[in-house]
Amino acid sequence: MYNKTKTACAVAAVLSTMVASPLVLAQDAAQQEVETIAVTGIRSSVAKSMDVKRSSAGVVDAISAEDIGDFPDTNLAESLQRITGVSIDRSGGEGQLITVRGFGPQFNTVLVNGRQMASENQSRAFSFDTIASELVSSLDVHKTSTATMQSGGVGSTINVNTARPFALGGFKVAGSVKGVYDENSESTTPQLSGLISNTFNDDTFGVLLAVSHQERETRLNQAQIDGWLENVGVPNPVTESGEAWDGNVFSPRNYDHKVTFEDRTRTNANLVLQYAPSDDLVITADALYSKFDVESNATSYGHWFTAPNIQGVADDGSLFDANGDRLSPTVDANGTVIDLYQEVGLATDMHAKTFDRLTETLSLGLNFDYQYNDNLNLKFDLSHSTAEREANNGGGDQLSLIGYANRVRFQVDDNILPVASMFADANANIYSGQQEIDGAIVASPVDGFPAYDSSLTPAGVSDLLDKDNSRAHVMLRRGWAVEDEVTQLRFDGEYFTDNGGITEIRFGTQYSNETKSLTRWDNEGVGIHCTYCGYPDLPEIPADAQYVFNAGNDFLSSVSGSGRMPTSWLAHNGEANFAFLENYYQSVNGSAISFDAVRRNNSFDVEEQILSAYVEMDFEGEVGDMLLSGTAGFRYESTDVSVTGTEAPIIQLTVLDQTEMLAQYGEAQPIDVDADYDVILPNFSMKLEITDDLIARAAVSTTITRPTLESMSPVTVITTTRQGGDLTSTSGNPGLEPFESDNFDLSVEWYYDIASYASIGYFRKHVSNFIVNSQEDRTFTLSDSSLLTDPSTGTDSSGPDGADSVAVFTNTLPNNGENAIVDGFELAWQHSFDSGFGVLANATLVDSDAKLDPYNINQVFALTGLSDSYNLVGFYENDDFMIRLAYNWRGEFVQSLTQSQGDGPTIVEDYQQLDLSASYELSDSLGIFFEGINLTEEYVHKRGRFSNHMLLVEDSGRRWAFGVRGSF
C-alpha cells in the first residue's frame, strides 16, 4: 500500500530543484565570534534548552539537567509537561504517560539514546515512571519530523539522553540522598542515586556507571464508580416532577469508597563503556536496566447495582406511594438516574484488592561512530531491549470480596460525590444471601417487580461494622503477563559538502523487529472464582480475620459532597481469605481446590518487522541579508505483521448466581494471521534567520503511528456474561492500517538575550485512518452447527431449557475509517533577569473537529487527550541559593471512549498542580535541597458523559523531600 501524498510531491519538487540548481542559494554566512558567559544551575539548564531549540532545523524543545544527576523535576514526565504542547497522565500522584499536541501516549515515539526501548505496557505507550530522572542528562521533544528519525510519532518523537563518559570528560562523581515524606501515608522513604565516570589512557577509554534506587509509600484516597450503563432496563424512570421518562437512561454500575496503599520501588542502573582506538573511531557499549515494582493493597466498601431491580424510595423509607403504587427511580434532564433504591439482589460489599505492577526492562546497545574523512561520517548501531510484566498469580487485578445482602439508596446532587444511605444500620426485614440462593426472590403479585416470598421470615442484618454479617462471595485473580522484545540494527551516514547550496546529505537504513506476547492469567475459566458466590451462610468468615478500617474524618474532605457517608468499614486480608476458603472447601468436601490463576488459551504473540531507508539533505543560502537554511527528505518503511497464538471457542454459558454466568470454552485452536503495508514519509522544513535574534520556521511532513499490537490480535475475548442480556465481547483486527498525518508547522522565535526568548507557533495535523471501535451483534456457532443460547432466559432463569433465547453478544471490533483535523497555537516566554530572578511561561491552545458530543450515545469516534494547558515557572538563583516555584494547569480532556464497567467515555476534569524546589550550596561540591510536590493538595476527578457522572476522585496528597547532593 502506497499513497502519493501532496506533501511527497512538494518535497520531491524541492529536492529536484536543489539537486539541479545548487548555486541558486548563496554561499555560507561568515562565522562570527560569540561572547561566552558561564551560567550554572537553572540558568544553565534553560540556556542549554534554548540553544537546542534555536539551533534545530525543525521545531524542537528540550530540557537539560541543571548538573550531573540533577534534573529539574523528580520525574521525567513531570519535566516534560513544562514544554509547550506536552501534557501528562498521572499514576499514584506521579507522572507516567504523556500527550503531545492532543495526541495520547500511543501516538508519541519515545527513544532512549536514539533507540526504541521495549515496553511493559500492553499498548505502545512508554511509561516514563520506569526511568529515574537522575540518570538522564537531557530530553529532546521533536514536534516536526525528519527522515532520520524512526517513525511512529504523529504527536512527537521524544529522545531521552543519558550521560556518556567522553561527554563528561575526566573523573566525575555525583550523587544524592534524600528522604521523601508522603502526607497521606505519613511515611518517609529513601531515595539514593550515584554516578561515577572517568576516562583513561589519554581520554581514549571511558567508563560510566550510574545507579538509582527509590522507594515510596503512597496512600490514595478514592471514591469510584466503575461505569455508567446506558439503557440497560431501569424500570419506569420518572423525572423530578414525576412525569414518565422515555429518553436515554444512564445508571451507575456501582459506588465504592476506597483507600489504596502502594509500595513503589524503582531501581535503575546505567553502564557505559567508550573506546576511541583512533581519532576517527569511537566505540560505545551501554546497558540500561530498570526494575519498577508497584505493590498495591486496597480496601474498600460499596454496592453493585442491578438495573432491573432498581426502584424509588421516599425519604421515610417507603417503597410505595399513597395509592399503593411502587415508587420509581428518578432521572434528571439528561436521563441520569439521580435517586434510586435497591434491595432485591443487592449487597454491601467489602473488598480487598491488589493492582500490582511488577516490571523489568533491560536495554543493550553497541555503537560505532567512524569519521571516514573530513566530509563523511558513518555510524553503525545495534540494540536489543526486553521488558516484561509479571502475571504475579493474577495480582494485577485481584479481588477478595466478602459482604452481605442489604439495601441502599443512591443519590446524585450538585456535589461531586454522590451519597449512598440506608445501608449502615441494622434492619430485621432484610433477606440473607442464603435465602436468595434458596429461591426467596419471586415476582411481586402486585406488579411483577422482583420481590421476596412473603411466606419466609427475613434473616435480618446488623449494622455496617458487625463482623457477624460477613459472608463469602466472588474471589478473583486476573492479569496479563506481558513480554516485549525489540531488536534494532541501524546504519547512518552523513556527508558534508564543500560548496554552497546543499551543505549536508544524510542517508541510512534500519531494521527493527518487535515481538510482544500477551498471556492472560485468571481463575475464571471453570468458575472456581464463584465457588462461594451469593453470600451463603457457610462458611462463616471468622471475626478475627476482619478488622475495622478507619479512613479518617478528613477522607476526601476537600471534595464537595464528602462527609455524608461512613469513613469506617470492615476490612480483611485478601490472601488470607483465599487460603481460608481453600482450606474450608477441603475440610468439607475432602478434595482440594485452588483459587490460583491459570494460563488461559486466549493468548497471543504479535511480531512486527520494519525495514526502512532514508535520504535527507540540508541546504543553506541567503535571501537578501537573511540566512536561509532547510532540510528535505524521504523515509521509506516496509512493515510485516504476524500474529500467532491460540483461541478457545466459547461452547456454553452456565448460571452461577442471580447476576453472573460462566463462559465455558472448548479446545484451543491455533491462530496464524499475517499482514503487511508500505509507506513513504516525506519531510521539508525551512529556517529563516531574519536577524541575529529573530528566526522564522516552516515545516511540512507526513508521519504515521502504527496500531497497538494488542488491537491487531484476532482473538475474541468474552468480557461480560451477566443475566439480563448483558453479554459483551471484544475482538482485534490484524488488518488495521497505521494512522497517517499530514503536518504543517509555522513559528517565529525571538532570542533577545542570554537564556531569554519569546516564541509563537501554529500547527495543523490532518490525520486519517483513525481507528474506531465499532459494535456489532455477534452470535457463536457450536460444533453441532447450533447457536449458543442464554440459560438465564426461557422458562427457567436458573438453568437451560428449550425456551432459551440465542445468546447475542455486543462485540467491539476496531476498524480504520475516521479522519480528524487538529490545530493549535503554542506560545512561550522565557526571561532571565540580571538580578538572578527568572520566569518561564507557556501556553498551548488546541482545537479539533473530532470532539465528543455527550448527547450522542452512538458516537464511536472522538479525539482523546485533546486539551489546553498552561505553565508558569518562577525562579531565583545566586551563587549559593536557588528556589523554583512551578505551576501547571491542564484543561478537561477525553481520556478514553470507554469505561471499565460502563458504556460511555472517561473524561478527566481540569487539573492544576503547584510544586516547589530549593537548594543551598554548602561548598563547591556539596549542597542541600528541598522539594514540595502538589503543595495545594489537588485531586484527580474523572467523570463520564455528563458532569454528574462521577467515575473517580483520587487524592494522592502532598509530598515533601529533603536531601543532600554532591558533585566532585
Side-chain angles (χ1 to χ4, degrees):
M1 179 197 74
Y2 163 54
N3 295 321
K4 192 171 182 181
T5 65
K6 294 180 180 179
T7 306
C9 295
V11 174
V14 172
L15 281 174
S16 62
T17 302
M18 290 189 302
V19 173
S21 306
L23 298 179
V24 172
L25 300 173
Q27 65 270 19
D28 298 344
Q31 292 184 338
Q32 300 179 2
E33 292 187 4
V34 179
E35 180 185 7
T36 301
I37 298 177
V39 288
T40 61
I42 295 181
R43 287 173 60 86
S44 172
S45 174
V46 299
K48 287 186 287 186
S49 299
M50 187 187 79
D51 289 343
V52 171
K53 181 180 182 70
R54 184 174 188 171
S55 61
S56 298
V59 180
V60 179
D61 285 292
I63 299 175
S64 301
E66 296 171 11
D67 200 350
I68 301 173
D70 182 12
F71 217 66
D73 289 274
T74 59
N75 173 283
L76 295 183
E78 302 281 351
S79 288
L80 281 169
Q81 72 173 336
R82 314 293 180 198
I83 289 177
T84 55
V86 180
S87 302
I88 67 173
D89 289 329
R90 290 175 169 83
S91 171
E94 184 177 3
Q96 180 186 17
L97 305 173
I98 66 163
T99 294
V100 181
R101 292 180 165 181
F103 290 87
Q106 71 273 23
F107 291 96
N108 297 285
T109 298
V110 179
L111 308 175
V112 178
N113 297 318
R115 306 161 178 151
Q116 180 183 345
M117 278 191 69
S119 170
E120 45 84 22
N121 278 319
Q122 290 177 239
S123 66
R124 294 184 187 272
F126 181 81
S127 297
F128 281 89
D129 54 3
T130 57
I131 299 181
S133 62
E134 288 84 355
L135 270 63
V136 175
S137 59
S138 65
L139 294 168
D140 300 324
V141 181
H142 298 262
K143 299 176 183 175
T144 54
S145 178
T146 72
T148 61
M149 293 191 306
Q150 178 177 327
S151 69
V154 164
S156 69
T157 298
I158 298 172
N159 191 31
V160 180
N161 301 296
T162 60
R164 294 285 188 258
F166 281 1
L168 294 179
F171 179 70
K172 294 288 189 299
V173 175
S176 66
V177 178
K178 69 178 176 181
V180 179
Y181 176 74
D182 187 291
E183 287 193 0
N184 274 9
S185 65
E186 298 181 344
S187 63
T188 301
T189 51
Q191 296 189 4
L192 306 93
S193 67
L195 177 148
I196 182 169
S197 177
N198 201 2
T199 55
F200 309 90
N201 194 26
D202 295 328
D203 294 334
T204 61
F205 181 68
V207 180
L208 180 149
L209 176 65
V211 178
S212 172
H213 179 77
Q214 301 177 356
E215 298 177 12
R216 182 179 156 215
E217 295 179 7
T218 68
R219 168 178 164 161
L220 308 175
N221 296 325
Q222 300 161 313
Q224 186 169 348
I225 293 176
D226 290 332
W228 287 80
L229 306 176
E230 299 173 357
N231 301 324
V232 289
V234 173
N236 308 316
V238 297
T239 66
E240 295 178 79
S241 60
E243 299 176 354
W245 175 264
D246 60 359
N248 292 320
V249 177
F250 307 95
S251 58
R253 172 77 282 179
N254 65 301
Y255 185 36
D256 297 342
H257 278 38
K258 179 168 65 172
V259 175
T260 301
F261 297 94
E262 291 184 341
D263 289 334
R264 293 173 166 246
T265 305
R266 175 170 48 219
T267 301
N268 290 149
N270 186 29
L271 175 65
V272 184
L273 306 176
Q274 287 191 293
Y275 175 54
S278 69
D279 292 339
D280 301 324
L281 177 64
V282 175
I283 303 172
T284 303
D286 60 275
L288 179 63
Y289 173 78
S290 171
K291 183 173 178 57
F292 183 41
D293 293 342
V294 181
E295 297 178 292
S296 62
N297 287 283
T299 177
S300 59
Y301 81 97
H303 301 88
W304 184 275
F305 305 111
T306 308
N309 297 347
I310 288 173
Q311 65 170 89
V313 64
D315 291 338
D316 63 0
S318 301
L319 303 182
F320 299 88
D321 62 18
N323 298 322
D325 295 326
R326 188 179 301 273
L327 293 172
S328 296
T330 304
V331 299
D332 66 7
N334 294 322
T336 301
V337 177
I338 59 173
D339 194 353
L340 67 84
Y341 176 86
Q342 185 180 346
E343 181 176 333
V344 177
L346 181 123
T348 295
D349 295 324
M350 284 78 70
H351 321 96
K353 300 179 180 180
T354 68
F355 306 99
D356 293 346
R357 177 182 163 211
L358 309 180
T359 73
E360 191 169 22
T361 304
L362 176 64
S363 179
L364 303 173
L366 180 64
N367 181 274
F368 296 84
D369 188 339
Y370 178 51
Q371 190 69 39
Y372 179 76
N373 57 35
D374 291 342
N375 299 95
L376 181 62
N377 178 267
L378 302 174
K379 292 185 177 71
F380 174 82
D381 193 88
L382 173 65
S383 63
H384 180 73
S385 179
T386 59
E388 65 177 26
R389 180 188 293 191
E390 296 180 24
N392 191 33
N393 195 22
D397 187 9
Q398 179 176 301
L399 168 64
S400 169
L401 190 156
I402 63 176
Y404 54 95
N406 203 353
R407 78 291 186 199
V408 71
R409 183 181 189 180
F410 173 85
Q411 294 172 282
V412 176
D413 52 23
D414 293 334
N415 294 292
I416 292 176
L417 296 178
V419 59
S421 59
M422 299 179 65
F423 65 90
D425 299 328
N427 189 316
N429 297 316
I430 300 299
Y431 290 80
S432 69
Q434 185 65 58
Q435 288 177 305
E436 291 189 352
I437 293 172
D438 293 339
I441 299 177
V442 297
S444 169
V446 177
D447 55 11
F449 193 84
Y452 290 107
D453 185 346
S454 59
S455 66
L456 299 175
T457 302
V461 66
S462 187
D463 64 77
L464 177 65
L465 301 181
D466 190 339
K467 299 176 182 178
D468 289 340
N469 285 330
S470 301
R471 296 293 183 268
H473 190 46
V474 67
M475 303 290 291
L476 288 166
R477 296 187 190 269
R478 298 172 293 192
W480 288 90
V482 181
E483 294 182 0
D484 192 21
E485 184 173 350
V486 178
T487 300
Q488 292 187 318
L489 182 65
R490 177 168 180 154
F491 168 75
D492 298 283
E494 292 178 281
Y495 181 75
F496 300 89
T497 67
D498 294 324
N499 52 21
I502 297 176
T503 59
E504 182 179 345
I505 301 173
R506 292 180 291 276
F507 53 91
T509 184
Q510 177 175 307
Y511 171 76
S512 179
N513 183 298
E514 179 176 12
T515 301
K516 179 158 283 191
S517 302
L518 300 176
T519 307
R520 177 68 175 178
W521 290 78
D522 62 48
N523 64 351
E524 299 174 274
V526 294
I528 295 294
H529 70 293
C530 220
T531 301
Y532 295 106
C533 279
Y535 316 93
D537 285 348
L538 296 175
E540 295 182 355
I541 305 298
D544 60 5
Q546 307 173 63
Y547 62 95
V548 175
F549 175 80
N550 184 0
N553 294 329
D554 60 347
F555 177 77
L556 297 178
S557 58
S558 61
V559 186
S560 64
S562 64
R564 298 186 291 178
M565 291 177 57
T567 55
S568 293
W569 58 86
L570 292 177
H572 67 282
N573 182 293
E575 285 296 338
N577 196 40
F578 275 104
F580 166 73
L581 293 177
E582 287 173 346
N583 292 333
Y584 175 83
Y585 184 92
Q586 185 167 19
S587 68
V588 172
N589 297 281
S591 59
I593 188 176
S594 174
F595 288 105
D596 285 353
V598 297
R599 186 188 187 278
R600 296 291 295 275
N601 286 321
N602 288 359
S603 302
F604 55 92
D605 297 346
V606 179
E607 182 181 16
E608 184 177 73
Q609 298 184 69
I610 304 171
L611 181 62
S612 58
Y614 73 88
V615 62
E616 188 173 72
M617 302 178 186
D618 288 350
F619 59 90
E620 185 176 291
E622 288 186 355
V623 177
D625 295 330
M626 298 179 292
L627 179 64
L628 176 67
S629 58
T631 300
F634 290 94
R635 187 179 185 92
Y636 167 78
E637 294 194 337
S638 176
T639 304
D640 293 296
V641 180
S642 174
V643 184
T644 58
T646 57
E647 179 179 20
I650 184 172
I651 59 174
Q652 186 177 359
L653 291 172
T654 303
V655 175
L656 293 176
D657 61 11
Q658 296 295 326
T659 59
E660 296 284 341
M661 291 188 292
L662 172 68
Q664 295 181 297
Y665 300 89
E667 293 295 323
Q669 304 296 321
I671 294 173
D672 192 350
V673 181
D674 298 320
D676 62 84
Y677 53 87
D678 299 338
V679 293
I680 290 182
L681 306 174
N683 65 280
F684 174 67
S685 63
M686 290 178 47
K687 174 183 174 183
L688 181 64
E689 298 184 25
I690 302 171
T691 68
D692 290 343
D693 302 324
L694 188 63
I695 295 175
R697 302 178 193 270
V700 293
S701 65
T702 298
T703 53
I704 64 170
T705 287
R706 292 178 172 84
T708 61
L709 298 180
E710 62 176 341
S711 69
M712 292 189 288
S713 167
V715 170
T716 296
V717 178
I718 304 299
T719 53
T720 307
T721 53
R722 295 193 178 94
Q723 296 188 37
D726 188 5
L727 306 173
T728 62
S729 61
T730 61
S731 301
N733 182 356
L736 291 174
E737 297 179 357
F739 307 83
E740 185 171 303
S741 177
D742 290 325
N743 314 300
F744 171 71
D745 282 81
L746 185 66
S747 66
V748 178
E749 303 155 9
W750 178 34
Y751 298 91
Y752 59 88
D753 204 349
I754 296 176
S756 300
Y757 78 95
S759 68
I760 180 171
Y762 171 78
F763 63 89
R764 179 183 175 89
K765 296 177 180 290
H766 183 198
V767 186
S768 58
N769 283 341
F770 263 107
I771 296 173
V772 297
N773 287 323
S774 58
Q775 292 186 331
E776 59 186 9
D777 289 342
R778 179 169 180 179
T779 58
F780 292 89
T781 303
L782 305 180
S783 58
D784 61 359
S785 299
S786 64
L787 295 177
L788 179 72
T789 57
D790 180 351
S792 67
T793 59
T795 56
D796 181 6
S797 62
S798 62
D801 61 69
D804 287 340
S805 302
V806 171
V808 180
F809 285 74
T810 300
N811 188 61
T812 301
L813 179 72
N815 286 291
N816 294 106
E818 295 289 342
N819 301 331
I821 294 175
V822 178
D823 66 347
F825 290 91
E826 296 177 339
L827 302 94
W829 176 53
Q830 174 178 303
H831 186 79
S832 295
F833 297 92
D834 294 337
S835 60
F837 286 96
V839 62
L840 294 82
N842 60 58
T844 304
L845 308 174
V846 189
D847 197 12
S848 174
D849 62 352
K851 294 182 178 179
L852 179 73
D853 177 5
Y855 297 96
N856 181 5
I857 67 171
N858 297 314
Q859 183 177 2
V860 296
F861 172 66
L863 193 61
T864 58
L866 194 73
S867 67
D868 296 338
S869 61
Y870 308 101
N871 284 285
L872 180 62
V873 179
F875 65 87
Y876 172 77
E877 183 179 44
N878 60 27
D879 292 340
D880 299 321
F881 177 72
M882 180 278 294
I883 186 169
R884 185 186 71 146
L885 190 64
Y887 171 80
N888 169 262
W889 176 89
R890 182 181 186 182
E892 172 189 298
F893 67 97
V894 179
Q895 186 179 51
S896 170
L897 295 177
T898 61
Q899 300 168 3
S900 61
Q901 295 283 349
D903 300 316
T906 299
I907 298 171
V908 181
E909 293 277 22
D910 298 354
Y911 181 84
Q912 59 184 350
Q913 184 165 307
L914 186 65
D915 301 329
L916 172 71
S917 61
S919 65
Y920 181 75
E921 298 301 318
L922 301 173
S923 68
D924 290 342
S925 58
L926 190 65
I928 58 176
F929 61 93
F930 171 81
E931 298 165 349
I933 310 298
N934 192 16
L935 297 181
T936 54
E937 297 185 272
E938 303 297 328
Y939 57 84
V940 174
H941 175 201
K942 299 182 182 182
R943 64 170 176 88
R945 190 173 297 277
F946 299 109
S947 60
N948 58 356
H949 286 196
M950 193 279 288
L951 291 173
L952 175 70
V953 170
E954 180 177 284
D955 163 34
S956 60
R958 182 166 44 206
R959 304 194 303 277
W960 304 98
F962 180 80
V964 179
R965 181 182 294 116
S967 178
F968 305 91

